[in-house]
Amino acid sequence: MHSIVSLISGRGSNLEAIFKTATAKSWDVRFTGVISNNPEAKGLDFARSQGISTQVLNHRDFASRDAFDKALIHEIDHYGADLLILAGFMRILTPAFIKHYEGRIINIHPSLLPRYPGLHTHESALEAGDTTHGATVHFVSAGVDEGPIICQGEVPILLDDDASRLAARVLKMEHYIYPLAVEWFINQRLQIEGNTVHIHPPESQYISFT
């Protein structure tokens, strides 16, 4: 059985999508803990409602990023984590933290990386006049929103889109591809070679909603 720990900062909707998929499909997993740097994160309420242990580590209580990450590692390792899921965790993690969980920490980003790392991705796609946008699930590396890509999901940009409408469409895609990527991981179907992720047996790693 795989143990999963998730880090959140807000509503944790991707955590909820993963948990519900795991329950519906009877995955051989256990959600051992949810940790947030934000005491007001709504995702903590969902985790508690499902009997998942929760912990708050407010980064403002620590003198440095290194000190916060060391405390975070201690809590995650206490829970035990075969897989560490970042689900809207709004902190840049130190290289030492990422190295500690190398190959078993994944993130979702609301753009078709390498396009638009960082914040305000929906506004950037609209300002650029793109016709498509989407989300990317990737293993976490030391670079911000970098790391080997597991899968991507594409959605169309419509003529009347604004950032909020586009964000809602992308979020639906996130809720589809993030559970898919986690399922591939727990079924040991992913292999990292350099900066490329292969899936065995082969399956499309690019999903499109029309």
Side-chain angles (χ1 to χ4, degrees):
M1 177 177 289
H2 286 77
S3 62
I4 294 176
V5 174
S6 182
L7 305 184
I8 65 171
S9 294
R11 57 187 168 171
S13 69
N14 274 301
L15 166 64
E16 184 173 346
I18 293 166
F19 182 87
K20 288 182 176 178
T21 301
T23 301
K25 292 189 172 184
S26 300
W27 290 355
D28 188 24
V29 300
R30 188 162 63 98
F31 291 80
T32 54
V34 173
I35 304 171
S36 179
N37 65 312
N38 174 16
E40 304 301 321
K42 296 298 184 184
L44 294 170
D45 295 332
F46 171 77
R48 292 168 185 143
S49 75
Q50 301 303 317
I52 305 171
S53 179
T54 62
Q55 176 74 22
V56 174
L57 280 183
N58 192 332
H59 60 276
R60 295 182 176 87
D61 294 337
F62 294 84
S64 68
R65 192 179 298 274
D66 284 339
F68 173 71
D69 279 9
K70 286 178 182 177
L72 196 55
I73 287 172
H74 176 79
E75 294 299 330
I76 294 166
D77 289 351
H78 172 75
Y79 284 125
D82 298 312
L83 176 62
L84 180 59
I85 295 171
L86 306 185
F89 188 64
M90 304 304 290
R91 295 289 297 167
I92 296 175
L93 297 163
T94 59
F97 180 98
I98 293 167
K99 181 67 175 176
H100 187 78
Y101 298 105
E102 186 174 14
R104 54 191 177 107
I105 174 174
I106 61 176
N107 181 50
I108 192 161
H109 180 73
S111 80
L112 297 171
L113 293 172
R115 282 187 282 177
Y116 315 128
L119 302 175
H120 311 301
T121 64
H122 311 305
E123 291 86 348
S124 295
L126 290 170
E127 289 170 5
D130 292 348
T131 58
T132 60
H133 190 42
T136 303
V137 184
H138 62 96
F139 284 102
V140 176
S141 69
V144 176
D145 298 323
E146 295 179 0
I149 291 173
I150 299 171
C151 61
Q152 294 186 302
E154 177 189 277
V155 301
I157 295 179
L158 306 180
L159 291 177
D160 62 346
D161 268 340
D162 59 18
S164 62
R165 284 192 289 268
L166 182 56
R169 193 176 309 113
V170 170
L171 188 61
K172 289 182 180 179
M173 176 60 83
E174 292 181 33
H175 293 169
Y176 179 80
I177 63 172
Y178 213 172
L180 179 64
V182 173
E183 187 170 22
W184 288 344
F185 181 95
I186 64 174
N187 288 331
Q188 300 180 329
R189 295 183 61 189
L190 302 178
Q191 179 182 0
I192 304 173
E193 295 182 0
N195 202 43
T196 300
V197 177
H198 300 285
I199 181 169
H200 304 285
E203 185 174 335
S204 177
Q205 292 167 256
Y206 198 90
I207 294 93
S208 179
F209 284 175
T210 58

